[in-house]
Amino acid sequence: MPGLLKKTLFSLASLLSIASVVLLVVALATEKWVTGKILCKTGAELVNASDPELVKFVGDIYFGLFQGGKIRHCGLGSRRSKIYIFPNLVKKLNGALHVMIILFLFTAIVFALISFGFCIYNARKIPYQSIKGPGGIYLWNFVAGLFGVFGVVSFIAALKLHHLTERVANFRENVFQFIILEEHYDFSFWLCVASTATHGANCIVVAISGIHFPKVQTKKPEEPTVTAEDLLY
């Protein structure tokens, strides 16, 4: 059976693994990967709006990997609309890249769960095979973190290189054209980044468990020895 310190460290590692899963699930389920400001160019040009009047034609947009929403201001008041990435919008995007991002994150979830199982196993037993011990935990955390990085980098590439926000904003807009004024990564994106970081923290915790700390030994009091010469006195 592992000692108390190793049990505590592997239990902490298991919590980090499950935290990574929770962060990724929340990131996938929420709609705030990107938020931004959009300008209704067509509406502004129709009334020949000057710089101070352009504020009336600025709306908001937000979206995640599956859905989002936007608020348009095109001279007819505020108009809210829902954005659904699947099944139609994804065809207008770089569909292969978008699906790859989702697959990368789901793969990261799978390997994070495997890491969780290995951490629980090591907290309860001392494995006889190295792949079931800390070596295996390092491997699964590395793979999970790697796929998380792939997902984050692929999303950044889709946003910056393939003008993801602009494509989403102008989907099914036959009359009006929108220009992206601002775009920011929001909390859903940073949850994914945090999930990737937990795997690095997990490896550090497992590494600490392999350190052999010196045991504190209490010095026993010396017992008085009585010799034959002492008895003579």
Side-chain angles (χ1 to χ4, degrees):
M1 291 290 289
L4 178 61
L5 179 60
K6 284 195 173 184
K7 283 184 178 180
T8 303
L9 290 172
F10 281 119
S11 297
L12 177 59
S14 66
L15 289 176
L16 288 171
S17 295
I18 205 67
S20 173
V21 174
V22 172
L23 289 171
L24 283 178
V25 170
V26 174
L28 285 165
T30 49
E31 305 174 357
K32 290 294 184 71
W33 279 67
V34 174
T35 56
K37 297 289 185 180
I38 54 176
L39 171 67
C40 183
K41 179 183 177 182
T42 308
E45 289 177 346
L46 284 174
V47 299
N48 196 19
S50 59
D51 287 342
E53 296 172 333
L54 288 177
V55 179
K56 299 178 181 178
F57 296 90
V58 176
D60 300 289
I61 188 170
Y62 63 91
F63 60 90
L65 297 179
F66 295 97
Q67 59 184 9
K70 64 182 178 181
I71 303 174
R72 306 182 304 168
H73 292 281
C74 294
L76 301 173
S78 177
R79 296 287 189 275
R80 293 178 178 269
S81 59
K82 194 70 175 174
I83 298 170
Y84 296 98
I85 306 295
F86 293 92
N88 297 319
L89 176 53
V90 71
K91 299 175 184 177
K92 299 295 182 181
L93 311 176
N94 190 324
L97 181 59
H98 195 82
V99 172
M100 281 177 58
I101 295 169
I102 297 171
L103 290 178
F104 283 149
L105 297 183
F106 273 110
T107 305
I109 290 174
V110 171
F111 282 104
L113 287 173
I114 295 174
S115 171
F116 170 73
F118 273 64
C119 290
I120 292 295
Y121 180 81
N122 280 265
R124 300 186 63 181
K125 296 181 180 180
I126 299 177
Y128 294 100
Q129 297 175 335
S130 59
I131 191 63
K132 293 182 179 179
I137 298 175
Y138 289 136
L139 175 62
W140 307 130
N141 275 283
F142 174 77
V143 175
L146 187 64
F147 276 102
V149 170
F150 286 162
V152 170
V153 172
S154 298
F155 185 80
I156 294 173
L159 190 70
K160 299 300 182 182
L161 302 180
H162 297 280
H163 309 290
L164 181 62
T165 308
E166 185 176 346
R167 295 188 182 194
V168 172
N170 287 288
F171 179 65
R172 287 183 175 173
E173 293 290 349
N174 300 321
V175 177
F176 300 105
Q177 182 184 3
F178 293 92
I179 298 176
I180 308 304
L181 299 179
E182 298 176 8
E183 59 182 6
H184 308 283
Y185 300 110
D186 214 315
F187 78 94
S188 300
F189 172 84
W190 295 115
L191 286 179
C192 190
V193 174
S195 169
T196 303
T198 59
H199 294 292
N202 209 334
C203 291
I204 294 173
V205 170
V206 175
I208 294 173
S209 71
I211 299 175
H212 298 286
F213 294 98
K215 294 182 178 179
V216 179
Q217 296 181 348
T218 56
K219 190 175 180 180
K220 296 181 179 179
E222 295 182 359
E223 296 180 358
T225 55
V226 179
T227 61
E229 295 178 353
D230 294 330
L231 293 175
L232 290 175
Y233 293 99

